[in-house]
Amino acid sequence: MELWSKLRSLDAYPKVNEDFYSRTLSGGLITIVSSLAILLLFFSEIRLYLYAATESKLTVDTSRGERLHINFDVTFPALPCSLVAIDTMDVSGEQHYDIRHDIMKKRIDHLGNVIESRKDGVGSPKIERPLQNHGGRLDHNEVYCGSCYGSEESDDQCCNSCEEVRDAYRKKGWALTNVESIDQCKREGFVQRLKDEQGEGCNIHGFVDVNKVAGNFHFAPGKSLDHAFNFLQDMLNFQPENYNISHKINKLSFGKEFPGVVNPLDGVEWKQEQTTGLTGMYQYFVKVVPTIYTDIRGRKIHSNQFSVTEHFREAIGLPRPPPGVYFFYEFSPIQVDFTEENTSLLHFLTNICAIVGGIFTVAGIIDSFVYHGHRAIKKKMEIGKFG
């Protein structure tokens, strides 16, 4: 009995007989408010416990020999697909022109509706300056006299069209079997395609795979087409000023998508207010930040984030800048690591106890202050000292 009596004396929570309780209206309101606060914070802790939080840290990027996967979706509302090529180059000297694989192009009308969708069709044709009958290529100030490919009847005979080449072959009794190898036929096919696409735009989407070193990729009239502009203007009334390189970047990312990534160029649109033709460079200077995202199961996503500044360089002075949309990228030496982490059960229970105990303690202090303050005011009123 003495042991039980000693244990009873250690009770830190002495009980008060219910007959001595004094329940008040203010106490009931404080109880309701404190209970609601406990429920609100309780469900907040439940949410934090069930959903992973993301921790970030900075480290030095030590990766070597990796490749960079660039995803893009760009719309040119006033530039036909036949006049667009995708080129890449980097500081290591690797260059790729008129890239066509892993790319989809869509011909669109002036309202943005898709006319035709074709895979692996982006890039300007391999068209050069016209071939002369003497075997060389047409110079800018030279009169065009096309080659008849051995079927000419005299040294000064010219075959300036595909039909004239066919006639010369027929007169010789030869069969024209490989039309694609005839310079005039190939050129007229390209011009016809330009006429068919007059007034159209182009949507290009896909990806390119490049070295993980500083470099650039750009959308521009193809390098092989540059040599043909003079011929197209002089002989076929081709007018580059009828086109412009206004564009909208629907999507641009470097690497795989991961939760929470923000690509600052998504949805960016740059309009050429006055049609001045294929002049000027739209330049985007991109700083790529290597990023590793580790989910709650330990799976890693190697990707990149980026920041960007933009600039338009007008075609003023000589030499004139090549027209197009250019993305110049370089890499940050700092890598960002994101890691998903769950709150431990012990930490969750500790927070719940702190919430319940803390709110009840604060509520008790407020209730005691209100109760004793009310009693003191009431007592002064009873003895006539208040008012």
Side-chain angles (χ1 to χ4, degrees), residues 6-15:
K6 290 180 179 180
L7 287 175
R8 190 179 295 112
S9 65
L10 297 175
D11 186 3
Y13 309 99
K15 312 304 183 290

Side-chain angles (χ1 to χ4, degrees), residues 247 249 252 264-271 281-287 306-313 325-328:
H247 60 280
I249 303 173
L252 180 68
L265 283 179
D266 289 359
V268 169
E269 187 172 6
W270 202 335
K271 292 184 178 180
M281 296 176 64
Y282 292 89
Q283 299 172 311
Y284 297 91
F285 298 93
V286 178
K287 176 71 76 171
F306 69 94
S307 61
V308 62
T309 57
E310 55 192 48
H311 175 69
F312 177 70
R313 181 184 172 189
V325 180
Y326 291 76
F327 297 86
F328 300 90

Side-chain angles (χ1 to χ4, degrees), residues 79 83 85 87 218-222 226 229 240 244-245 272 277-282 312-313 315 320-326:
L79 193 64
L83 290 182
D87 305 332
H218 54 268
F219 303 88
D226 293 343
F229 270 0
N244 68 66
I245 49 178
Q272 194 169 331
L278 296 170
T279 58
M281 296 176 64
Y282 292 89
F312 177 70
R313 181 184 172 189
R320 290 190 175 184
V325 180
Y326 291 76

